[in-house]
Amino acid sequence: MHFRGVNDVLRKRLKNYYKKQKMTQSLRTDLDQSDTYYDYLCVIDFEATCEENNPPEYLHEIIEFPIALVNTRTLEIEDTFQEYVKPELKPELTEFCTKLTGITQEMVDKAGSFPDVFQRVVDWMREKELGTTHKYAVLTDGSWDMSKFLNVQCRLSSIQYPRFAKKWINIRKSYGNFYKVSRMQTKLTSMLEKLGMKYEGRPHSGLDDSRNIARIAIRMLQDGCELRVNETLHAGQLMSVPGTAPLETAPPPRSPWHKK
């Protein structure tokens, strides 16, 4: 009798088992290291190229990189960063994109490439001593910004996906769990309304969106919510952090801007 085929299958199963165990352990280690009190929250809400009806294969390019820096001790927006980005695949913005975001062709024509803007983001974060003197976490309105926009943009720009963006706080999940509301009540405008606030600024402006998301985060901290990392991008896959609510099972919207 020959058992080579059986042994090969068993060997492969064992190898895959240990690989999965190693990935899980690595994920837990990263999360354990990050599950501490954050001095700052970096609230990020990208704006990207789009069409009125994006085809499934459409590649969104980031055209605005904003950050609202929340000091969790003073409960204030301490500083902001904003730069526009010149798209390369489709340098000409659609009329729909300009009308939606308020970003004009002239703005992106004058802007730097994504690698250049991203380097200035990193330099800004270093100036703020984030990750060295101060502990911080990225916070977003949903999963799209990190798992889709930034993930795709880094591949398009041939730069390594940043370590700081591999885990983040999805405020929608935190909000829903803390205030016990359904997923349908976690749109940006709905969250503001429930908290007795109105949107300030221009909707779909990346910086204004970031500021308003930051206002929600500040109110949640004031109400006693412990904002913690609840999503991560591990081995290229979006994962929910163990011990938090599961990822949304509903299909993604046709356009990420329908979320707001």
Side-chain angles (χ1 to χ4, degrees):
M1 296 180 68
H2 300 284
F3 296 96
R4 175 174 295 179
V6 175
N7 289 338
D8 288 345
V9 171
L10 292 175
R11 191 177 296 110
K12 184 177 292 185
R13 285 180 179 174
L14 189 62
K15 182 178 179 180
N16 288 337
Y17 171 78
Y18 282 120
K19 182 179 180 181
K20 185 175 181 180
Q21 289 293 101
K22 185 176 180 181
M23 287 177 60
T24 302
Q25 183 60 42
S26 174
L27 172 60
R28 288 186 176 277
T29 298
D30 287 345
L31 294 173
D32 288 344
Q33 292 174 349
S34 70
D35 191 22
T36 54
Y37 185 86
Y38 308 122
D39 301 307
Y40 288 95
L41 298 174
C42 288
V43 182
I44 299 175
D45 194 87
F46 297 120
E47 296 303 325
T49 56
C50 58
E51 298 177 2
E52 188 167 3
N53 294 298
N54 299 316
E57 68 279 5
Y58 188 90
L59 294 176
H60 299 278
E61 295 178 84
I62 292 174
I63 54 175
E64 182 183 0
F65 201 133
I67 305 176
L69 186 64
V70 174
N71 185 320
T72 62
R73 300 182 188 280
T74 64
L75 297 179
E76 295 179 344
I77 298 176
E78 187 171 295
D79 202 356
T80 60
F81 175 95
Q82 182 202 41
E83 280 203 31
Y84 296 111
V85 183
K86 180 184 294 184
E88 296 183 3
L89 285 182
K90 295 187 177 182
E92 297 294 325
L93 300 183
T94 64
E95 182 180 349
F96 172 79
C97 184
T98 294
K99 185 176 180 180
L100 179 73
T101 66
I103 299 173
T104 66
Q105 189 64 47
E106 183 180 10
M107 290 176 181
V108 295
D109 286 344
K110 291 180 178 179
S113 66
F114 182 80
D116 290 341
V117 172
F118 180 73
Q119 184 57 54
R120 287 192 282 276
V121 170
V122 172
D123 292 342
W124 182 81
M125 294 176 74
R126 284 174 179 164
E127 289 176 8
K128 301 297 178 183
E129 299 182 314
L130 301 177
T132 52
T133 303
H134 306 298
K135 296 176 182 177
Y136 74 101
V138 170
L139 185 146
T140 64
D141 177 28
S143 305
W144 278 84
D145 293 276
M146 299 299 125
S147 67
K148 186 172 180 65
F149 291 152
L150 187 58
N151 196 17
V152 168
Q153 185 65 63
C154 286
R155 292 203 303 269
L156 291 175
S157 299
S158 299
I159 62 177
Q160 185 175 0
Y161 189 86
R163 182 178 178 82
F164 72 79
K166 288 185 177 181
K167 50 185 180 289
W168 61 89
I169 300 167
N170 178 343
I171 197 169
R172 288 188 171 211
K173 292 173 64 175
S174 300
Y175 182 97
N177 292 335
F178 185 70
Y179 294 113
K180 308 300 181 185
V181 299
S182 69
R183 180 170 60 88
M184 296 303 295
Q185 295 176 285
T186 59
K187 292 182 179 180
L188 178 52
T189 51
S190 297
M191 290 190 287
L192 286 166
E193 183 178 346
K194 181 175 175 60
L195 296 176
M197 296 187 286
K198 293 184 178 180
Y199 188 96
E200 295 179 354
R202 186 193 191 284
H204 303 296
S205 155
L207 185 57
D208 286 346
D209 281 349
S210 297
R211 286 180 177 275
N212 281 281
I213 297 165
R215 292 170 62 212
I216 294 170
I218 290 171
R219 174 63 65 82
M220 292 177 69
L221 291 171
Q222 291 173 334
D223 288 348
C225 179
E226 294 185 358
L227 291 170
R228 293 289 181 264
V229 165
N230 53 21
E231 287 184 351
T232 182
L233 197 65
H234 192 74
Q237 294 184 331
L238 176 63
M239 300 179 67
S240 184
V241 171
T244 65
L247 294 173
E248 296 178 0
T249 56
R254 294 181 63 185
S255 167
W257 290 277
H258 292 173
K259 70 182 183 176
K260 294 174 183 177

